[in-house]
Amino acid sequence: MAWKTYLMKEETKKMSDRQKLNRNLAQMLKGGVIMDVTTPEQAKIAEAAGACAVMALERIPADIRAAGGVSRMSDPAMIKGIQEAVSIPVMAKCRIGHIAEARILEAIEIDYIDESEVLSPADDTRHIDKTKFAVPFVCGARDLGEALRRIGEGATMIRTKGEPGTGDVVQAVRHMRKMQSEIRRVASLREDELYEAAKELAAPLDLVRFVHANGKLPVVNFAAGGVATPADAALMMELGAEGVFVGSGIFKSGDPAKRAAAIVQAVTNWQDSRLLAKLSENLGPAMVGINAEEIETIMEERGK
Amino acid sequence: MTVGVLAVQGAFAEMEAYWRAKGADVFEIRQRADLSRGMDLLALPGGESTVQGKLLKDLGLFDPIKSAIDGGLSVFATCAGLILLAEKVEDGGERSVRPERWFGILPVAVRRNAYGRQLGSFTARGTFDGTPDVPMTFIRAPAISAIFSPDVEVLSTFDGHPTAVRWRNITAFTWHPELHIG
């Protein structure tokens, strides 16, 4: 197709430009809801409900948790089926440190790779060097240090880890609050205190300097993990999220289309409690969920 | 000058910063009550056009905004904003796009995701409205594939295709001027 000839432009091949373009795509997703889907039908429901992107995976986190065993990248044929079904961006997960899975996802032109703790880690100490990829990456983080380490490795979007597949928002709240309060602390430091801060955070100094100067991460920051209701989504926006991932919360609930649309509106108008009250009415049963402290597999501990 | 920025989804914060840098008073439009503020210009930012279109409908913003644009309100639209305004939206393959989500005012056809997925996003430099060497960022960008009125003025092109146009009260881009402030 003729439009594709633009891709050959020399300047687009430079990785620093790709990083910028990939940060820009995350900017376009802000104020939106990214939904986990396992079939083309679910992807269409999500798109019609107003998802700004979908995460294609074989099993949603709640089922991964229930099934146990090793959890891997989804079948590329399944992901391609979802790419065919919708016009919004399609994301997919690879295991932490699994360079080859990431290459495969890049080869099928995924719009965003989630190097995700929801899957079984392939490397228990190292993440992927994401600066070597043209395709963008989003990574989970529990605090500012983790976020900046992932950005240093080339992630162009951050999300809280939360505790996926539980329907319990407590960990996402903890991670977002911690990250925001650490950002405020770094912003309040003297310039000559930033070296020590970088050491404490175990984060690259140039990124600590960015946070100090701008009072925010250099990339878009979403909430994820345990969001199940419009009120959960509004809570995460209140705490500083720029958008929300909803994993198991939608297609494990009684009326996915209605719940999905309500969460989309809640993210846009999180400050309007009268509207939130209306959106929360008659949504049917939410996912049953499990309390985060009752579970045995702690996904948030994967990949630091 | 007062600018209302549609802030239902997408890069509205960047659009607000863009107009603030130009000295405008800026406010966000998230629901119908916000429209009572009154504005000299409406800015439609980048984002996902399907999401923005749905939220415009769900939040009761679609009809009042459409009549304001039809009534001559100045509009500055980028990427998803251009798609919302276009008379015709082309979409390859079987896609679940809802035509009722578009305003259908600007007499052009746009092709969504014309350059492919995110790996097709790119930057370029070109002449915009007589100014040379303007940086242009295209993110999963649409293309203007046809122009239906001789009154549509082409402000920039890339590889022979129009990438920004002006028509009556509307200026619309396939790229993102709001990503290049200062």
Side-chain angles (χ1 to χ4, degrees):
Chain A
M1 146 174 136
W3 309 103
K4 286 269 180 185
T5 58
Y6 302 149
L7 304 191
M8 300 313 291
K9 282 186 62 63
E10 192 56 38
E11 64 181 305
T12 65
K13 290 181 186 159
K14 282 190 292 185
M15 280 304 171
S16 57
D17 282 357
R18 291 274 12 140
Q19 285 269 312
K20 193 148 175 289
L21 287 166
N22 291 340
R23 288 183 184 190
N24 289 154
L25 175 59
Q27 288 173 288
M28 298 304 145
L29 300 176
K30 280 191 298 182
V33 181
I34 300 168
M35 303 182 193
D36 279 2
V37 298
T38 58
T39 62
E41 293 66 39
Q42 287 186 355
K44 283 180 179 160
I45 292 170
E47 183 179 51
C52 68
V54 290
M55 178 76 68
L57 70 178
E58 275 165 344
R59 286 179 298 185
I60 55 175
D63 291 335
I64 291 174
R65 204 173 266 296
V70 175
S71 183
R72 308 177 178 91
M73 176 188 78
S74 297
D75 182 339
M78 171 269 166
I79 297 169
K80 280 154 111 177
I82 287 170
Q83 286 176 317
E84 287 301 310
V86 295
S87 66
I88 54 179
V90 177
M91 304 183 168
K93 292 181 195 291
C94 74
R95 284 181 267 176
I96 289 173
H98 207 311
I99 304 161
E101 283 187 352
R103 289 275 176 227
I104 290 168
L105 293 174
E106 183 173 57
I108 62 170
E109 296 199 18
I110 203 74
D111 289 299
Y112 241 97
I113 296 176
D114 184 2
E115 187 184 14
S116 177
E117 68 283 0
V118 169
L119 306 182
S120 308
D123 189 321
D124 56 5
T125 47
R126 288 164 210 86
H127 281 70
I128 296 168
D129 178 0
K130 294 166 274 288
T131 63
K132 298 292 188 290
F133 285 75
V135 80
F137 282 80
V138 54
C139 284
R142 295 175 299 178
D143 52 40
L144 181 59
E146 240 178 74
L148 296 183
R149 286 194 291 281
R150 299 294 88 79
I151 297 165
E153 295 156 2
T156 50
M157 181 177 183
I158 291 293
R159 55 171 177 75
T160 59
K161 284 179 168 174
E163 191 52 42
T166 60
D168 188 347
V169 81
V170 64
Q171 305 285 28
V173 168
R174 184 180 297 156
H175 300 163
M176 186 57 78
R177 278 204 182 265
K178 180 149 192 228
M179 209 182 296
Q180 298 294 350
S181 92
E182 287 176 329
I183 288 171
R184 285 190 296 274
R185 190 185 80 84
V186 167
S188 73
L189 295 177
R190 277 166 56 100
E191 262 180 52
D192 62 4
E193 293 169 336
L194 296 177
Y195 305 95
E196 178 63 15
K199 194 174 84 183
E200 281 168 14
L201 292 164
L205 178 61
D206 60 325
L207 296 176
V208 174
R209 285 201 171 116
F210 181 95
V211 172
H212 173 70
N214 297 279
K216 63 191 205 62
L217 292 182
V219 304
V220 168
N221 187 13
F222 270 47
V227 175
T229 66
D232 288 347
L235 170 64
M236 296 315 301
M237 296 300 285
E238 167 92 41
L239 296 178
E242 295 180 291
V244 171
F245 283 83
V246 186
S248 316
I250 288 173
F251 290 100
K252 276 284 169 195
S253 74
D255 188 342
K258 192 173 177 190
R259 181 169 297 266
I263 292 175
V264 168
Q265 280 200 55
V267 166
T268 298
N269 279 298
W270 56 273
Q271 292 147 306
D272 182 345
S273 36
R274 286 172 69 176
L275 179 63
L276 290 177
K278 198 158 156 266
L279 293 171
S280 304
E281 281 178 10
N282 302 316
L283 289 179
M287 72 178 286
V288 176
I290 33 178
N291 290 313
E293 73 251 25
E294 290 169 5
I295 53 177
E296 286 174 10
T297 306
I298 308 296
M299 292 175 174
E300 62 151 302
E301 292 289 337
R302 295 169 170 173
K304 295 167 186 172
Chain B
M1 173 157 113
T2 303
V3 175
V5 175
L6 183 69
V8 293
Q9 189 273 328
F12 48 84
E14 290 77 0
M15 187 64 96
E16 290 161 25
Y18 176 83
W19 283 103
R20 276 199 196 95
K22 289 183 180 298
D25 289 324
V26 174
F27 71 95
E28 292 187 347
I29 301 165
R30 288 172 186 261
Q31 43 186 255
R32 207 172 169 134
D34 297 328
L35 294 173
S36 61
R37 294 268 304 262
M39 65 194 109
D40 304 306
L41 182 138
L42 168 68
L44 303 176
E48 279 303 318
S49 56
T50 56
V51 184
Q52 295 181 0
K54 174 169 170 48
L55 284 166
L56 283 169
K57 284 278 181 185
D58 289 353
L59 296 165
L61 288 164
F62 189 91
D63 294 332
I65 288 181
K66 185 170 177 355
S67 34
I69 300 172
D70 284 334
L73 174 65
S74 294
V75 186
F76 182 93
T78 67
C79 199
L82 162 67
I83 294 169
L84 290 177
L85 292 169
E87 202 170 278
K88 190 171 171 213
V89 178
E90 297 169 354
D91 220 358
E94 264 187 73
R95 297 278 165 84
S96 51
V97 173
R98 314 294 174 92
E100 72 275 10
R101 290 184 185 178
W102 319 127
F103 291 122
I105 297 171
L106 181 66
V108 301
V110 297
R111 191 191 314 175
R112 299 179 66 224
N113 303 334
Y115 306 92
R117 302 181 183 281
Q118 173 61 6
L119 286 172
S121 293
F122 64 101
T123 54
R125 285 182 172 270
T127 300
F128 170 71
D129 201 13
T131 308
D133 205 33
V134 174
M136 303 173 176
T137 297
F138 296 79
I139 304 292
R140 280 174 50 97
I144 296 170
S145 48
I147 289 176
F148 303 129
S149 162
D151 300 333
V152 174
E153 184 189 352
V154 174
L155 302 177
S156 67
T157 61
F158 188 79
D159 210 24
H161 295 278
T163 53
V165 293
R166 188 184 292 134
W167 178 76
R168 297 185 186 169
N169 47 321
I170 296 173
T171 309
F173 304 75
T174 64
W175 44 283
H176 292 279
E178 74 277 21
L179 293 178
H180 299 278
I181 302 170

